[in-house]
Amino acid sequence: MEMHKMTTIVFALASLAAFSIPAAAQTAPVKIGYINSQKLIDQAPGSAEVKVTLQKELASWKAQVDAMQDSIQTMITQFEQKSVLLSPDAKQKRQDEILTKQASFKSRVEEIQAKAGQRQSELLTPIMDRVQLAITELRTAEGYSIIFDASTEAMVAADPALDLTDKVLAKLRATPPATAGKN
């Protein structure tokens, strides 16, 4: 009887194993690919227009910064040339003016940097959203489990056959480009 129980238990375990193997075998294999997000953003429709718009706006802001910097440098040069002729009170007043102008300059530069970052984000967000949508659609349509970004430092090496960047670019080019925001 003891042998019969042992046989029944072994048979039951074997049956459970038989049922679990087909379930594991039925799961789809993991399909992996990668993209180069920097290349996608650089070559996506609409990105050239965004770059031109940003360059124009940055050039305008740079001109403002350069003018302020030149003004400060002129103040400093004039102060250095005339400082021996100035009274201690006049020297202090000019030094205070220079320091105030430098503080104003620093504040303006920080403001311009923040504006530039915000504007860049504003202009690139529609393109980045389209890139993300194209990647998601490709992943879903072709059954990819995971798509990595090769432009990050986390990717050390990969088979070029797994590169989906050109497929995503083709998908992006098949849809109308995002228009650059105007302000």
Side-chain angles (χ1 to χ4, degrees), residues 77-127:
T77 302
Q78 288 174 350
F79 173 75
E80 289 171 348
Q81 290 172 349
K82 298 177 181 180
S83 67
V84 290
L85 303 173
L86 298 174
S87 69
D89 288 342
K91 276 185 185 180
Q92 187 61 48
K93 184 179 177 193
R94 292 261 173 103
Q95 286 175 333
D96 290 345
E97 288 172 358
I98 291 171
L99 291 174
T100 300
K101 189 124 183 174
Q102 286 175 325
S104 174
F105 172 75
K106 182 180 176 192
S107 175
R108 181 66 179 143
V109 167
E110 289 171 356
E111 180 184 318
I112 287 173
Q113 288 173 335
K115 252 186 193 177
Q118 180 181 0
R119 186 67 173 138
Q120 180 177 7
S121 175
E122 181 181 299
L123 292 172
L124 284 176
T125 294
I127 292 172

Side-chain angles (χ1 to χ4, degrees), residues 4-174:
H4 180 65
K5 282 184 181 180
M6 181 81 80
T7 307
T8 305
I9 291 172
V10 169
F11 184 76
L13 289 174
S15 296
L16 284 174
F19 285 117
S20 65
I21 289 172
Q26 289 177 4
T27 60
V30 175
K31 192 171 178 182
I32 297 173
Y34 67 90
I35 51 93
N36 181 328
S37 63
Q38 191 59 52
K39 180 179 177 182
L40 289 173
I41 291 170
D42 288 346
Q43 295 182 14
S47 67
E49 293 84 356
V50 165
K51 286 178 188 173
V52 168
T53 301
L54 275 174
Q55 286 173 347
K56 285 179 184 176
E57 292 177 14
L58 289 175
S60 168
W61 290 329
K62 184 181 180 326
Q64 290 177 27
V65 168
D66 290 347
M68 290 177 71
Q69 200 167 21
D70 289 345
S71 174
I72 292 170
Q73 190 56 49
T74 300
M75 285 178 75
I76 291 171
T77 302
Q78 288 174 350
F79 173 75
E80 289 171 348
Q81 290 172 349
K82 298 177 181 180
S83 67
V84 290
L85 303 173
L86 298 174
S87 69
D89 288 342
K91 276 185 185 180
Q92 187 61 48
K93 184 179 177 193
R94 292 261 173 103
Q95 286 175 333
D96 290 345
E97 288 172 358
I98 291 171
L99 291 174
T100 300
K101 189 124 183 174
Q102 286 175 325
S104 174
F105 172 75
K106 182 180 176 192
S107 175
R108 181 66 179 143
V109 167
E110 289 171 356
E111 180 184 318
I112 287 173
Q113 288 173 335
K115 252 186 193 177
Q118 180 181 0
R119 186 67 173 138
Q120 180 177 7
S121 175
E122 181 181 299
L123 292 172
L124 284 176
T125 294
I127 292 172
M128 291 170 42
D129 290 347
R130 288 184 62 239
V131 166
Q132 184 60 47
L133 179 63
I135 292 168
T136 300
E137 287 175 354
L138 180 71
R139 186 196 63 74
T140 303
E142 296 193 17
Y144 285 92
S145 301
I146 300 171
I147 297 179
F148 292 100
D149 185 356
S151 66
T152 65
E153 293 180 15
M155 177 94 61
V156 177
D159 183 350
L162 300 174
D163 189 352
L164 305 173
T165 305
D166 290 334
K167 284 185 175 184
V168 175
L169 279 172
K171 191 174 245 335
L172 286 168
R173 290 179 180 135

